[in-house]
Amino acid sequence: MSTRTTGGPPLSDAARSAWGKTDRTGTAPVGWLPLWRHLADSADVAGRLWDHWLSPAVRRRIANELPGGDRDGRTLAVFLAGVHDIGKATPAFAIQSQPYARRMRDRGLTFQAPLIEADRRFAPHAAAGHVVLADWLNDQGWADPHPYAVVVGGHHGIPPTDELLQGVQSRLYLLGDPAWQDVQRELLAWMAERSGAGDRLTDWDQAPLSQPVQAALTGLVITADWIASDEELFPYLLASTDDDRLRIGWDHLALPTPWTPAPTPPGVDELFAARFDLPPGAAPRPVQRTVAELAETMPAPGMMIVEAAMGEGKTEAALAAAEILARRTSASGCYLALPTRATSDAMFGRMLSWLQRLPDADTGRGERDVRLAHGKAALNTEYDRLRHRPLPSSIAQDAGGTDLGVHAWFAGGKRALLSSFVVGTIDQLLFAALRSKHLVLRHLGLAGKVVIIDEAHAYDVFMGRFLDRALQWLGGYGVPVVVLSATLPAQRRAELMEAYDRGRLGPPPKPGWRDRGKPKIDPYAPLRTDLRYPLVTVSAAERGATATTCADSGRGATVQLHRLDDDPAALAELLRERLADGGCALVVRNTVARVQQTAADLRAALGPDTPVAVAHSRFMAVDRAAKDRWLRETFGPPGTAARPHRHVVVASQVAEQSLDIDFDLLVTDLAPVDLILQRIGRLHRHSRTGRPARLTAPTCWITGADWTTEPPQPVPGSRRVYQTSALLRAAAVLLPHLDGEALRLPADIAPLTQAAYGDTPVGPPAWQPAMAEAQARAEEETTAKSLKADGFRLAEPGEPGASLINWLTGGVGNPDERTARGHVRDTDGETLDVLLLVRTPDGLVMPPWIDGGGVAVPTDSVPRWPLPRQIARCTLPLPRTMTAPEVIDDVIAALEQRIDLSTWQDSAWLAGELVLDVDTDGTATVADFALHYDPHEGLRVERAV
């Protein structure tokens, strides 16, 4: 099969003369690498990746579509990696290096240089390789070679378009004359024999590949190509054997092997006791038990949707389900998606704790690779510590491989999901539905995992379009998915399950003439009307789902709701009266501006005996982390917090998610009902002795609206953040509770959520004209957002045998993460972060109030380590008023003109960053904006006078 000799394979001089790579650094002993050498390296790496790195779930997904199963899958992967650069054996490619082109010309590979030079742009080597391989397979008698050839055509991250392929085929001189064609056929035949594919080609012609398998193979070939192209791993040397090159390169790379799930403990109680740090005598809660039991019996792969109240342990239930589903599907990792960077950072430590207790069937596998995936992950202290640890080849023999590390090869953004265990923002999952370069690498990373989607209610219509499409592809790959929410509308529950099934089972068959007159059956209809709670919904064997309820944990509460005028004096009087004997109050506002103004009003009204703090997103990263830590340490569970006698926290939506904080009293702006319920989850969250007598009954006041009108009129800031229809329907369904009927949790969560998001009119008759008008506007906005999202959204998986040609046509190209986030989130403007530094008479310094503050920051040179990392932790998001399309260019120009940072472009931490320098009072003027930053209050922005 293979010829492993020092002198190379038995190829003609012409074939051996084709060059594949040149030494651009000038440091290699040999200035070039023959094409055959790189193809052999890539094929060998692909084989090793298949055997020792690729998830068994992905191997099985590929193998299931080939007549020879796993052996065919490996052979095909090796063959495609071994011919991926066949398009380099063409004049269009060879002409790029004149010395090596002359060498090829001396061996009979001639071309008309002026013509080739003028037109070579029409035949990039990936597309040329697609055409060459497809023609060769046609010569072997294949009917449709494109689902296989497109793997070669797409190995640079974007599958070719019909137009590109037609452009190559109409200029065949770019591919070469018969002498070139002989070399191309010789290399293809050599690799077919070397890989063992030659004996399988006839059978493969009858095996149409699905688009998910084409994408997975393309991702694998790209990975093999990148590894084989690393000169440190595979140097430009011709004197070593194939075996030696592979052994040395692979050993030096030291990729971690996949996690192999071990048998789980025999019972649910034993499983939770082994995986989680439970208090003595604690047992799994009913929803946790139901989730674990259903994970053992549900169709796998399949999707599970878990709806349960805040604080019921949904995350632990999902991790237990992930372990069980991984064992059942041969998945070798997990991706946990959360709404924001802050929630991802908070969850990262919890996942590490779980991983340290998660066994591996391969006890000698070495460290388990983990990844925190968002744009500021390197600023997470815990993650950064793992990034800089060595990754030994064999540790934890007795513990089953439960030590953790971050492998350097997965450090690039495009490789983020290739690590086995990943915590990140939902964006990383939504990117899997965004037409962008190297999308196949994201798909390859997800295809071998269990995916957990937390806070599923938090994603709006725009993001939901991308999420639905991502679920279709996950279903197509056979990826188990666990969705978590406390307040998921029933309609959304059905939409999520239907999207997954379209990928898992394909689109439903179109009605035929025999179906005329028959009633249309909606297999998801029961999901749209099921109001039980808690509820765990799992895929059925066919379309549809099975829903199971369970008892709640007995942690229910009865909450009183009251209206409160949107008046600073009314709020201050309420807090003064209710906190007279002490207590901790949370006031949630819908905008940062209202947070800051409310805090200022309360300080003035309540005086120094009632401390007032703020929490919102407009803090520098290091201050935001300190603020979150202070909130958890001050208002966390009993026994973990040094709770003050009296305190008021005014917060934005940051208080809704993933912070385990507990307050005695809650005031919230009117918001969509699911978000109000999330906020109420911070009210009397834990059983606690010693609450002040006036605050022993959990009570929530709802403000942020004019309650004297019919319907109530939400404040302008809330209408900018949320659709008016959602605000009015929330007020309508809460009306009985505002009029005295107690709110029962968790019993009322599902009825309120489904009523607020249903189609049935709610509220008094006098409200209906205004609500109908608001609903019509909301539907118009929803349609517009859906159309906007579809502009760059990936198509759903095609029919089996449909190739990936044109797959990414009209996409977003090769965006950085900030640009990509702008495409999957519906924002009025771009997001823009700056680095906050303080200007003194002696120059720039680190903010004095942080650890390591006051240190001078040079701008005439790259700061010495570790100062660049410390500077990067000072990142600060600018508000939308400064990033709106009509002002952002002026803002960026003003920031760039303030300081010359050209020397910083050589720093991986600081290149491309913008600096906001404030004076020692925290003030600055940028473009037409007056800014003030305070470490306790955050950033204030006003239009400059």
PDB file of all heavy atoms in Angstrom, residues 305 307 456-459 485-496 527-531 673-674 749-750 752-758:
ATOM      1  N   ILE A 305     -35.406  19.010  26.797  1.00  0.00           N
ATOM      2  CA  ILE A 305     -35.683  20.374  27.238  1.00  0.00           C
ATOM      3  C   ILE A 305     -36.122  20.307  28.696  1.00  0.00           C
ATOM      4  O   ILE A 305     -37.119  19.643  29.021  1.00  0.00           O
ATOM      5  CB  ILE A 305     -36.764  21.042  26.372  1.00  0.00           C
ATOM      6  CG1 ILE A 305     -36.334  21.063  24.899  1.00  0.00           C
ATOM      7  CG2 ILE A 305     -37.042  22.458  26.862  1.00  0.00           C
ATOM      8  CD1 ILE A 305     -37.400  21.607  23.953  1.00  0.00           C
ATOM      9  N   GLU A 307     -37.423  22.295  31.937  1.00  0.00           N
ATOM     10  CA  GLU A 307     -38.039  23.521  32.436  1.00  0.00           C
ATOM     11  C   GLU A 307     -38.300  23.340  33.931  1.00  0.00           C
ATOM     12  O   GLU A 307     -39.091  22.477  34.333  1.00  0.00           O
ATOM     13  CB  GLU A 307     -39.337  23.810  31.696  1.00  0.00           C
ATOM     14  CG  GLU A 307     -39.138  24.010  30.196  1.00  0.00           C
ATOM     15  CD  GLU A 307     -40.451  24.044  29.440  1.00  0.00           C
ATOM     16  OE1 GLU A 307     -41.243  24.988  29.671  1.00  0.00           O
ATOM     17  OE2 GLU A 307     -40.694  23.129  28.633  1.00  0.00           O
ATOM     18  N   ALA A 456     -32.329  29.314  27.917  1.00  0.00           N
ATOM     19  CA  ALA A 456     -32.825  29.340  26.541  1.00  0.00           C
ATOM     20  C   ALA A 456     -33.857  30.437  26.323  1.00  0.00           C
ATOM     21  O   ALA A 456     -34.078  30.856  25.182  1.00  0.00           O
ATOM     22  CB  ALA A 456     -33.429  27.984  26.182  1.00  0.00           C
ATOM     23  N   HIS A 457     -34.489  30.916  27.380  1.00  0.00           N
ATOM     24  CA  HIS A 457     -35.471  31.991  27.252  1.00  0.00           C
ATOM     25  C   HIS A 457     -34.812  33.335  26.964  1.00  0.00           C
ATOM     26  O   HIS A 457     -35.509  34.293  26.606  1.00  0.00           O
ATOM     27  CB  HIS A 457     -36.268  32.109  28.559  1.00  0.00           C
ATOM     28  CG  HIS A 457     -35.374  32.299  29.739  1.00  0.00           C
ATOM     29  ND1 HIS A 457     -34.853  31.234  30.449  1.00  0.00           N
ATOM     30  CD2 HIS A 457     -34.868  33.419  30.328  1.00  0.00           C
ATOM     31  CE1 HIS A 457     -34.085  31.699  31.410  1.00  0.00           C
ATOM     32  NE2 HIS A 457     -34.067  33.008  31.366  1.00  0.00           N
ATOM     33  N   ALA A 458     -33.497  33.424  27.125  1.00  0.00           N
ATOM     34  CA  ALA A 458     -32.819  34.717  27.068  1.00  0.00           C
ATOM     35  C   ALA A 458     -32.499  35.173  25.650  1.00  0.00           C
ATOM     36  O   ALA A 458     -31.968  36.266  25.465  1.00  0.00           O
ATOM     37  CB  ALA A 458     -31.519  34.662  27.876  1.00  0.00           C
ATOM     38  N   TYR A 459     -32.824  34.372  24.640  1.00  0.00           N
ATOM     39  CA  TYR A 459     -32.400  34.678  23.275  1.00  0.00           C
ATOM     40  C   TYR A 459     -33.585  35.187  22.468  1.00  0.00           C
ATOM     41  O   TYR A 459     -34.636  34.548  22.393  1.00  0.00           O
ATOM     42  CB  TYR A 459     -31.766  33.438  22.639  1.00  0.00           C
ATOM     43  CG  TYR A 459     -30.738  32.818  23.563  1.00  0.00           C
ATOM     44  CD1 TYR A 459     -30.833  31.505  23.993  1.00  0.00           C
ATOM     45  CD2 TYR A 459     -29.692  33.595  24.063  1.00  0.00           C
ATOM     46  CE1 TYR A 459     -29.908  30.968  24.863  1.00  0.00           C
ATOM     47  CE2 TYR A 459     -28.768  33.071  24.942  1.00  0.00           C
ATOM     48  CZ  TYR A 459     -28.880  31.754  25.345  1.00  0.00           C
ATOM     49  OH  TYR A 459     -27.967  31.229  26.223  1.00  0.00           O
ATOM     50  N   SER A 485     -34.193  25.991  30.885  1.00  0.00           N
ATOM     51  CA  SER A 485     -34.874  27.269  31.055  1.00  0.00           C
ATOM     52  C   SER A 485     -35.807  27.189  32.244  1.00  0.00           C
ATOM     53  O   SER A 485     -36.368  26.130  32.544  1.00  0.00           O
ATOM     54  CB  SER A 485     -35.676  27.644  29.803  1.00  0.00           C
ATOM     55  OG  SER A 485     -36.380  28.862  29.998  1.00  0.00           O
ATOM     56  N   ALA A 486     -35.995  28.304  32.906  1.00  0.00           N
ATOM     57  CA  ALA A 486     -37.014  28.381  33.945  1.00  0.00           C
ATOM     58  C   ALA A 486     -38.324  28.905  33.391  1.00  0.00           C
ATOM     59  O   ALA A 486     -39.386  28.667  33.962  1.00  0.00           O
ATOM     60  CB  ALA A 486     -36.531  29.287  35.080  1.00  0.00           C
ATOM     61  N   THR A 487     -38.250  29.625  32.272  1.00  0.00           N
ATOM     62  CA  THR A 487     -39.429  30.354  31.781  1.00  0.00           C
ATOM     63  C   THR A 487     -39.493  30.279  30.269  1.00  0.00           C
ATOM     64  O   THR A 487     -39.428  31.290  29.583  1.00  0.00           O
ATOM     65  CB  THR A 487     -39.362  31.824  32.234  1.00  0.00           C
ATOM     66  OG1 THR A 487     -38.090  32.379  31.852  1.00  0.00           O
ATOM     67  CG2 THR A 487     -39.533  31.955  33.730  1.00  0.00           C
ATOM     68  N   LEU A 488     -39.635  29.094  29.718  1.00  0.00           N
ATOM     69  CA  LEU A 488     -39.644  28.920  28.270  1.00  0.00           C
ATOM     70  C   LEU A 488     -41.087  28.905  27.764  1.00  0.00           C
ATOM     71  O   LEU A 488     -41.887  28.066  28.190  1.00  0.00           O
ATOM     72  CB  LEU A 488     -38.957  27.613  27.896  1.00  0.00           C
ATOM     73  CG  LEU A 488     -38.711  27.375  26.405  1.00  0.00           C
ATOM     74  CD1 LEU A 488     -37.686  28.371  25.870  1.00  0.00           C
ATOM     75  CD2 LEU A 488     -38.231  25.943  26.165  1.00  0.00           C
ATOM     76  N   PRO A 489     -41.444  29.800  26.845  1.00  0.00           N
ATOM     77  CA  PRO A 489     -42.798  29.742  26.283  1.00  0.00           C
ATOM     78  C   PRO A 489     -43.042  28.410  25.571  1.00  0.00           C
ATOM     79  O   PRO A 489     -42.146  27.859  24.931  1.00  0.00           O
ATOM     80  CB  PRO A 489     -42.811  30.913  25.289  1.00  0.00           C
ATOM     81  CG  PRO A 489     -41.752  31.850  25.788  1.00  0.00           C
ATOM     82  CD  PRO A 489     -40.690  30.970  26.367  1.00  0.00           C
ATOM     83  N   ALA A 490     -44.272  27.904  25.669  1.00  0.00           N
ATOM     84  CA  ALA A 490     -44.593  26.607  25.073  1.00  0.00           C
ATOM     85  C   ALA A 490     -44.389  26.622  23.567  1.00  0.00           C
ATOM     86  O   ALA A 490     -43.942  25.629  22.981  1.00  0.00           O
ATOM     87  CB  ALA A 490     -46.029  26.229  25.417  1.00  0.00           C
ATOM     88  N   GLN A 491     -44.709  27.729  22.919  1.00  0.00           N
ATOM     89  CA  GLN A 491     -44.499  27.813  21.474  1.00  0.00           C
ATOM     90  C   GLN A 491     -43.022  27.670  21.135  1.00  0.00           C
ATOM     91  O   GLN A 491     -42.660  26.982  20.172  1.00  0.00           O
ATOM     92  CB  GLN A 491     -45.028  29.159  20.961  1.00  0.00           C
ATOM     93  CG  GLN A 491     -44.755  29.440  19.481  1.00  0.00           C
ATOM     94  CD  GLN A 491     -45.505  28.504  18.560  1.00  0.00           C
ATOM     95  OE1 GLN A 491     -46.536  27.947  18.933  1.00  0.00           O
ATOM     96  NE2 GLN A 491     -44.993  28.312  17.355  1.00  0.00           N
ATOM     97  N   ARG A 492     -42.192  28.280  21.947  1.00  0.00           N
ATOM     98  CA  ARG A 492     -40.755  28.182  21.701  1.00  0.00           C
ATOM     99  C   ARG A 492     -40.267  26.768  21.954  1.00  0.00           C
ATOM    100  O   ARG A 492     -39.379  26.268  21.250  1.00  0.00           O
ATOM    101  CB  ARG A 492     -40.009  29.182  22.594  1.00  0.00           C
ATOM    102  CG  ARG A 492     -38.533  29.303  22.290  1.00  0.00           C
ATOM    103  CD  ARG A 492     -38.322  29.927  20.928  1.00  0.00           C
ATOM    104  NE  ARG A 492     -36.919  29.951  20.533  1.00  0.00           N
ATOM    105  CZ  ARG A 492     -36.451  29.506  19.372  1.00  0.00           C
ATOM    106  NH1 ARG A 492     -37.270  28.983  18.472  1.00  0.00           N
ATOM    107  NH2 ARG A 492     -35.176  29.570  19.104  1.00  0.00           N
ATOM    108  N   ARG A 493     -40.814  26.092  22.965  1.00  0.00           N
ATOM    109  CA  ARG A 493     -40.475  24.699  23.230  1.00  0.00           C
ATOM    110  C   ARG A 493     -40.708  23.854  21.980  1.00  0.00           C
ATOM    111  O   ARG A 493     -39.854  23.061  21.570  1.00  0.00           O
ATOM    112  CB  ARG A 493     -41.326  24.193  24.384  1.00  0.00           C
ATOM    113  CG  ARG A 493     -41.132  22.746  24.757  1.00  0.00           C
ATOM    114  CD  ARG A 493     -42.315  22.250  25.589  1.00  0.00           C
ATOM    115  NE  ARG A 493     -42.557  23.089  26.752  1.00  0.00           N
ATOM    116  CZ  ARG A 493     -43.762  23.276  27.294  1.00  0.00           C
ATOM    117  NH1 ARG A 493     -44.836  22.699  26.785  1.00  0.00           N
ATOM    118  NH2 ARG A 493     -43.904  24.050  28.353  1.00  0.00           N
ATOM    119  N   ALA A 494     -41.870  24.024  21.346  1.00  0.00           N
ATOM    120  CA  ALA A 494     -42.198  23.253  20.148  1.00  0.00           C
ATOM    121  C   ALA A 494     -41.274  23.611  18.987  1.00  0.00           C
ATOM    122  O   ALA A 494     -40.843  22.735  18.218  1.00  0.00           O
ATOM    123  CB  ALA A 494     -43.650  23.495  19.769  1.00  0.00           C
ATOM    124  N   GLU A 495     -40.949  24.904  18.844  1.00  0.00           N
ATOM    125  CA  GLU A 495     -40.072  25.332  17.745  1.00  0.00           C
ATOM    126  C   GLU A 495     -38.682  24.718  17.877  1.00  0.00           C
ATOM    127  O   GLU A 495     -38.081  24.287  16.883  1.00  0.00           O
ATOM    128  CB  GLU A 495     -39.984  26.864  17.722  1.00  0.00           C
ATOM    129  CG  GLU A 495     -41.266  27.549  17.298  1.00  0.00           C
ATOM    130  CD  GLU A 495     -41.213  29.051  17.508  1.00  0.00           C
ATOM    131  OE1 GLU A 495     -40.237  29.548  18.137  1.00  0.00           O
ATOM    132  OE2 GLU A 495     -42.145  29.737  17.063  1.00  0.00           O
ATOM    133  N   LEU A 496     -38.154  24.691  19.093  1.00  0.00           N
ATOM    134  CA  LEU A 496     -36.825  24.120  19.297  1.00  0.00           C
ATOM    135  C   LEU A 496     -36.808  22.637  18.954  1.00  0.00           C
ATOM    136  O   LEU A 496     -35.896  22.145  18.276  1.00  0.00           O
ATOM    137  CB  LEU A 496     -36.383  24.332  20.743  1.00  0.00           C
ATOM    138  CG  LEU A 496     -36.127  25.786  21.177  1.00  0.00           C
ATOM    139  CD1 LEU A 496     -35.893  25.853  22.677  1.00  0.00           C
ATOM    140  CD2 LEU A 496     -34.946  26.381  20.425  1.00  0.00           C
ATOM    141  N   LEU A 527     -46.985  19.978  22.524  1.00  0.00           N
ATOM    142  CA  LEU A 527     -45.977  20.775  23.236  1.00  0.00           C
ATOM    143  C   LEU A 527     -46.412  22.225  23.379  1.00  0.00           C
ATOM    144  O   LEU A 527     -45.955  22.929  24.295  1.00  0.00           O
ATOM    145  CB  LEU A 527     -44.637  20.718  22.485  1.00  0.00           C
ATOM    146  CG  LEU A 527     -43.991  19.351  22.297  1.00  0.00           C
ATOM    147  CD1 LEU A 527     -42.627  19.505  21.631  1.00  0.00           C
ATOM    148  CD2 LEU A 527     -43.855  18.618  23.624  1.00  0.00           C
ATOM    149  N   ARG A 528     -47.266  22.692  22.480  1.00  0.00           N
ATOM    150  CA  ARG A 528     -47.663  24.099  22.495  1.00  0.00           C
ATOM    151  C   ARG A 528     -48.721  24.400  23.553  1.00  0.00           C
ATOM    152  O   ARG A 528     -48.995  25.575  23.825  1.00  0.00           O
ATOM    153  CB  ARG A 528     -48.199  24.507  21.118  1.00  0.00           C
ATOM    154  CG  ARG A 528     -47.249  24.233  19.974  1.00  0.00           C
ATOM    155  CD  ARG A 528     -47.858  24.618  18.626  1.00  0.00           C
ATOM    156  NE  ARG A 528     -47.265  23.886  17.536  1.00  0.00           N
ATOM    157  CZ  ARG A 528     -46.116  24.184  16.942  1.00  0.00           C
ATOM    158  NH1 ARG A 528     -45.452  25.252  17.334  1.00  0.00           N
ATOM    159  NH2 ARG A 528     -45.638  23.454  15.943  1.00  0.00           N
ATOM    160  N   THR A 529     -49.307  23.365  24.114  1.00  0.00           N
ATOM    161  CA  THR A 529     -50.389  23.579  25.081  1.00  0.00           C
ATOM    162  C   THR A 529     -50.120  22.955  26.449  1.00  0.00           C
ATOM    163  O   THR A 529     -50.960  23.056  27.339  1.00  0.00           O
ATOM    164  CB  THR A 529     -51.703  22.997  24.523  1.00  0.00           C
ATOM    165  OG1 THR A 529     -51.512  21.609  24.222  1.00  0.00           O
ATOM    166  CG2 THR A 529     -52.121  23.739  23.257  1.00  0.00           C
ATOM    167  N   ASP A 530     -48.974  22.321  26.613  1.00  0.00           N
ATOM    168  CA  ASP A 530     -48.659  21.644  27.873  1.00  0.00           C
ATOM    169  C   ASP A 530     -48.213  22.675  28.906  1.00  0.00           C
ATOM    170  O   ASP A 530     -47.157  23.306  28.767  1.00  0.00           O
ATOM    171  CB  ASP A 530     -47.558  20.600  27.640  1.00  0.00           C
ATOM    172  CG  ASP A 530     -47.454  19.598  28.783  1.00  0.00           C
ATOM    173  OD1 ASP A 530     -47.815  19.966  29.919  1.00  0.00           O
ATOM    174  OD2 ASP A 530     -47.014  18.462  28.541  1.00  0.00           O
ATOM    175  N   LEU A 531     -49.022  22.858  29.953  1.00  0.00           N
ATOM    176  CA  LEU A 531     -48.728  23.858  30.978  1.00  0.00           C
ATOM    177  C   LEU A 531     -48.178  23.244  32.257  1.00  0.00           C
ATOM    178  O   LEU A 531     -48.065  23.925  33.276  1.00  0.00           O
ATOM    179  CB  LEU A 531     -49.996  24.661  31.303  1.00  0.00           C
ATOM    180  CG  LEU A 531     -50.629  25.426  30.140  1.00  0.00           C
ATOM    181  CD1 LEU A 531     -51.806  26.248  30.643  1.00  0.00           C
ATOM    182  CD2 LEU A 531     -49.609  26.322  29.451  1.00  0.00           C
ATOM    183  N   VAL A 673     -42.576  39.040  31.095  1.00  0.00           N
ATOM    184  CA  VAL A 673     -42.924  38.310  32.312  1.00  0.00           C
ATOM    185  C   VAL A 673     -41.879  37.274  32.694  1.00  0.00           C
ATOM    186  O   VAL A 673     -41.629  37.039  33.884  1.00  0.00           O
ATOM    187  CB  VAL A 673     -44.322  37.660  32.164  1.00  0.00           C
ATOM    188  CG1 VAL A 673     -44.290  36.458  31.239  1.00  0.00           C
ATOM    189  CG2 VAL A 673     -44.875  37.282  33.529  1.00  0.00           C
ATOM    190  N   ASP A 674     -41.251  36.632  31.701  1.00  0.00           N
ATOM    191  CA  ASP A 674     -40.247  35.632  32.048  1.00  0.00           C
ATOM    192  C   ASP A 674     -39.073  36.270  32.756  1.00  0.00           C
ATOM    193  O   ASP A 674     -38.476  35.675  33.665  1.00  0.00           O
ATOM    194  CB  ASP A 674     -39.792  34.860  30.800  1.00  0.00           C
ATOM    195  CG  ASP A 674     -39.357  35.765  29.677  1.00  0.00           C
ATOM    196  OD1 ASP A 674     -39.938  36.842  29.512  1.00  0.00           O
ATOM    197  OD2 ASP A 674     -38.430  35.380  28.922  1.00  0.00           O
ATOM    198  N   ILE A 749     -45.437  29.785  37.361  1.00  0.00           N
ATOM    199  CA  ILE A 749     -44.452  30.150  36.342  1.00  0.00           C
ATOM    200  C   ILE A 749     -44.938  29.772  34.951  1.00  0.00           C
ATOM    201  O   ILE A 749     -44.962  30.601  34.023  1.00  0.00           O
ATOM    202  CB  ILE A 749     -43.087  29.494  36.638  1.00  0.00           C
ATOM    203  CG1 ILE A 749     -42.445  30.126  37.876  1.00  0.00           C
ATOM    204  CG2 ILE A 749     -42.149  29.642  35.435  1.00  0.00           C
ATOM    205  CD1 ILE A 749     -41.123  29.500  38.272  1.00  0.00           C
ATOM    206  N   ALA A 750     -45.332  28.520  34.760  1.00  0.00           N
ATOM    207  CA  ALA A 750     -45.755  28.081  33.432  1.00  0.00           C
ATOM    208  C   ALA A 750     -47.026  28.792  32.969  1.00  0.00           C
ATOM    209  O   ALA A 750     -47.070  29.292  31.835  1.00  0.00           O
ATOM    210  CB  ALA A 750     -45.932  26.567  33.409  1.00  0.00           C
ATOM    211  N   LEU A 752     -48.251  31.727  33.705  1.00  0.00           N
ATOM    212  CA  LEU A 752     -47.955  33.122  33.381  1.00  0.00           C
ATOM    213  C   LEU A 752     -47.143  33.237  32.102  1.00  0.00           C
ATOM    214  O   LEU A 752     -47.422  34.080  31.228  1.00  0.00           O
ATOM    215  CB  LEU A 752     -47.210  33.781  34.544  1.00  0.00           C
ATOM    216  CG  LEU A 752     -48.025  34.090  35.795  1.00  0.00           C
ATOM    217  CD1 LEU A 752     -47.113  34.569  36.914  1.00  0.00           C
ATOM    218  CD2 LEU A 752     -49.098  35.135  35.495  1.00  0.00           C
ATOM    219  N   THR A 753     -46.117  32.403  31.971  1.00  0.00           N
ATOM    220  CA  THR A 753     -45.258  32.471  30.783  1.00  0.00           C
ATOM    221  C   THR A 753     -46.054  32.152  29.519  1.00  0.00           C
ATOM    222  O   THR A 753     -45.952  32.852  28.505  1.00  0.00           O
ATOM    223  CB  THR A 753     -44.087  31.494  30.925  1.00  0.00           C
ATOM    224  OG1 THR A 753     -43.344  31.815  32.109  1.00  0.00           O
ATOM    225  CG2 THR A 753     -43.161  31.579  29.724  1.00  0.00           C
ATOM    226  N   GLN A 754     -46.860  31.073  29.574  1.00  0.00           N
ATOM    227  CA  GLN A 754     -47.587  30.680  28.368  1.00  0.00           C
ATOM    228  C   GLN A 754     -48.670  31.700  28.014  1.00  0.00           C
ATOM    229  O   GLN A 754     -48.906  31.972  26.832  1.00  0.00           O
ATOM    230  CB  GLN A 754     -48.196  29.288  28.557  1.00  0.00           C
ATOM    231  CG  GLN A 754     -47.246  28.205  29.046  1.00  0.00           C
ATOM    232  CD  GLN A 754     -45.860  28.252  28.430  1.00  0.00           C
ATOM    233  OE1 GLN A 754     -45.688  28.657  27.280  1.00  0.00           O
ATOM    234  NE2 GLN A 754     -44.851  27.835  29.186  1.00  0.00           N
ATOM    235  N   ALA A 755     -49.312  32.276  29.025  1.00  0.00           N
ATOM    236  CA  ALA A 755     -50.332  33.291  28.739  1.00  0.00           C
ATOM    237  C   ALA A 755     -49.702  34.537  28.129  1.00  0.00           C
ATOM    238  O   ALA A 755     -50.234  35.121  27.182  1.00  0.00           O
ATOM    239  CB  ALA A 755     -51.091  33.648  30.023  1.00  0.00           C
ATOM    240  N   ALA A 756     -48.562  34.934  28.669  1.00  0.00           N
ATOM    241  CA  ALA A 756     -47.916  36.155  28.168  1.00  0.00           C
ATOM    242  C   ALA A 756     -47.424  35.985  26.740  1.00  0.00           C
ATOM    243  O   ALA A 756     -47.443  36.947  25.960  1.00  0.00           O
ATOM    244  CB  ALA A 756     -46.759  36.544  29.084  1.00  0.00           C
ATOM    245  N   TYR A 757     -46.999  34.785  26.376  1.00  0.00           N
ATOM    246  CA  TYR A 757     -46.440  34.582  25.041  1.00  0.00           C
ATOM    247  C   TYR A 757     -47.408  33.846  24.106  1.00  0.00           C
ATOM    248  O   TYR A 757     -47.027  33.475  22.996  1.00  0.00           O
ATOM    249  CB  TYR A 757     -45.122  33.819  25.149  1.00  0.00           C
ATOM    250  CG  TYR A 757     -44.003  34.684  25.671  1.00  0.00           C
ATOM    251  CD1 TYR A 757     -43.654  34.669  27.014  1.00  0.00           C
ATOM    252  CD2 TYR A 757     -43.325  35.553  24.828  1.00  0.00           C
ATOM    253  CE1 TYR A 757     -42.635  35.475  27.503  1.00  0.00           C
ATOM    254  CE2 TYR A 757     -42.311  36.368  25.299  1.00  0.00           C
ATOM    255  CZ  TYR A 757     -41.975  36.325  26.643  1.00  0.00           C
ATOM    256  OH  TYR A 757     -40.974  37.132  27.114  1.00  0.00           O
ATOM    257  N   GLY A 758     -48.639  33.645  24.552  1.00  0.00           N
ATOM    258  CA  GLY A 758     -49.623  32.986  23.707  1.00  0.00           C
ATOM    259  C   GLY A 758     -50.303  33.963  22.770  1.00  0.00           C
ATOM    260  O   GLY A 758     -49.995  35.155  22.723  1.00  0.00           O
TER     261      GLY A 758
END
